[in-house]
Amino acid sequence: MTLSGDNPSFVLKKVNEVIFEERPIPKLTGPKDVRIEIKQTGICGSDVHYYTHGAIGSFIVKDPMVLGHESAGVVAEVGSSVTSLKVGDRVALEPGIPCRYCDHCKAGFYNLCADMKFAATPPYDGTLCRYYVLPEDFCVKLPDTVSLEEGALVEPLSVAVHVSKLAKITPGSSAIVFGAGPVGLLCCAVARAFGATTITAVDLVQARLDLAKEIAATHTFVPTRGDSAAESAAKIKELLGGKAPQFAIDASGAAASVNTAIHVLAQGGTYVQAGMGAPEIAFPITEFTVKELTAKGSFRYGPGDYQLAVELVASGKVDVKKLITHRVKFEEAEEAFKLVIKGQGVKILIGGPSS
């Protein structure tokens, strides 16, 4: 199709129904605001879930909503008090704006802000459009060596950074990551960047594990269907020469993975939940207790995570380009979503509007 106008946008009307729609150009509402022309956007699992189900938990799509939140672009306009950016700068967009006033925000945990305005989370529009406005401090300038495609993948990389910071992965340690989707793959990469020397990726799909090995994993494991969590854990320990990992990350949300992670961890180890699965699962509480494990939840990203993610890409410690399997034009955005729903590819990037 041919698009025209000043701010074409990819809009979810209702479950399984999307349209291209002309939206008003967003205006700067404060002196620290920045308007960005979007150039690259990745598709996230949450975007797909809204597309296919219309809701994630209590976040329900009640009105048409622009999709997308993994984006990078070029600064098109700056507010009168903006000092760190200028028109033409390339930036990665951190797409969630907290209230800045609640106790969580003041304590430095703004990702836990109850009044967060997050792109493509109802009722807030996302970034699959030509123009998007953010405050200056949520636009992270990209070094010349980092492309706009890489800039779009800073968002999922920041999730992995946040997970690894919560785990407090140490140099020379052993980490295991369950789920080799985009976030799981990036958790493997960040674990290596943080100094882990043994990194095990677990998934049911061998092709994903092959990519994990190419990116960062030193070991891979395909669970045997029908095995208990304890049986899978025993096989993983055998793979690792009898040594249990100190850190476990679940990026799958699968109950079997959660249970196996608790069984495979060393005494005193740390477990971080990154993947979203069923609201409630059976949990091996005795195993968890007798090992004195630490368990943490991980939600989005917090202060410094985006900047560190950009630095990891710029330094070459994390190669996010390896995740890109498809590139499509803005006009083909719906086809990109259908590819993800079919399970094709790892990371699909959608270009910005070209007309």
Side-chain angles (χ1 to χ4, degrees):
M1 65 176 294
T2 300
L3 294 174
S4 61
D6 292 321
N7 194 30
S9 305
F10 186 65
V11 179
L12 176 65
K13 295 282 285 187
K14 60 183 180 180
V15 173
N16 292 324
E17 183 180 332
V18 289
I19 62 168
F20 290 97
E21 183 176 285
E22 190 60 44
R23 292 289 185 95
I25 296 177
K27 297 181 179 180
L28 307 186
T29 58
K32 284 286 188 178
D33 280 351
V34 175
R35 181 157 57 89
I36 306 107
E37 184 174 359
I38 304 299
K39 295 297 185 181
Q40 295 289 337
T41 300
I43 299 178
C44 175
S46 66
D47 294 316
V48 175
H49 203 81
Y50 284 125
Y51 178 87
T52 56
H53 293 82
I56 297 178
S58 61
F59 297 104
I60 302 169
V61 179
K62 298 178 180 179
D63 299 300
M65 178 183 77
V66 179
L67 291 168
H69 63 269
E70 299 181 0
S71 292
V74 178
V75 174
E77 183 183 4
V78 298
S80 59
S81 298
V82 171
T83 58
S84 64
L85 296 169
K86 64 181 184 304
V87 172
D89 283 344
R90 300 171 316 116
V91 296
L93 285 70
E94 183 172 348
I97 310 306
C99 76
R100 303 181 189 266
Y101 299 108
C102 69
D103 290 342
H104 290 305
C105 285
K106 289 182 177 180
F109 303 106
Y110 64 74
N111 58 310
L112 302 180
C113 175
D115 294 322
M116 173 77 74
K117 295 177 174 61
F118 199 87
T121 296
Y124 306 107
D125 286 324
T127 59
L128 270 170
C129 52
R130 173 166 284 139
Y131 294 115
Y132 194 81
V133 169
L134 277 176
E136 174 185 17
D137 55 328
F138 282 83
C139 301
V140 181
K141 188 175 179 180
L142 298 175
D144 293 340
T145 55
V146 177
S147 69
L148 286 165
E149 287 190 341
E150 292 170 307
L153 294 184
V154 166
E155 198 277 345
L157 179 56
S158 295
V159 172
V161 166
H162 192 66
V163 168
S164 299
K165 286 168 69 173
L166 286 169
K168 298 183 180 179
I169 293 173
T170 54
S173 62
S174 175
I176 184 167
V177 178
F178 291 82
V183 169
L185 291 168
L186 291 171
C187 283
C188 290
V190 176
R192 184 178 67 176
F194 278 25
T197 50
T198 301
I199 302 164
T200 305
V202 181
D203 202 284
L204 293 170
V205 181
Q206 185 61 50
R208 291 182 175 182
L209 294 178
D210 293 340
L211 182 55
K213 201 74 175 285
E214 183 180 345
I215 289 173
T218 58
H219 300 74
T220 61
F221 179 76
V222 179
T224 301
R225 294 186 185 275
D227 276 1
S228 68
E231 289 169 334
S232 292
K235 290 180 179 179
I236 293 170
K237 289 179 184 177
E238 183 179 358
L239 175 68
L240 298 176
K243 295 182 178 180
Q246 299 123 299
F247 303 96
I249 295 166
D250 177 63
S252 72
S257 295
V258 174
N259 279 265
T260 302
I262 299 303
H263 278 276
V264 81
L265 269 171
Q267 281 83 354
T270 300
Y271 171 80
V272 180
Q273 184 65 43
M276 293 286 192
E280 296 182 8
I281 63 169
F283 185 80
I285 192 70
T286 299
E287 185 80 3
F288 175 79
T289 302
V290 299
K291 286 183 175 178
E292 282 200 5
L293 301 180
T294 297
K296 299 180 180 181
S298 182
F299 187 54
R300 294 172 179 159
Y301 24 74
D305 294 337
Y306 244 75
Q307 186 61 53
L308 178 54
V310 170
E311 290 170 2
L312 289 174
V313 174
S315 66
K317 291 183 177 180
V318 174
D319 186 359
V320 294
K321 297 189 298 296
K322 291 183 181 295
L323 273 67
I324 303 172
T325 53
H326 297 76
R327 298 171 173 87
V328 305
K329 297 179 181 179
F330 183 78
E331 295 83 357
E332 300 166 349
E334 185 173 6
E335 285 70 26
F337 273 77
K338 290 178 179 178
L339 285 173
V340 177
I341 292 169
K342 292 177 183 177
Q344 297 181 12
V346 178
K347 208 64 184 172
I348 300 176
L349 292 183
I350 301 171
S354 57
S355 61

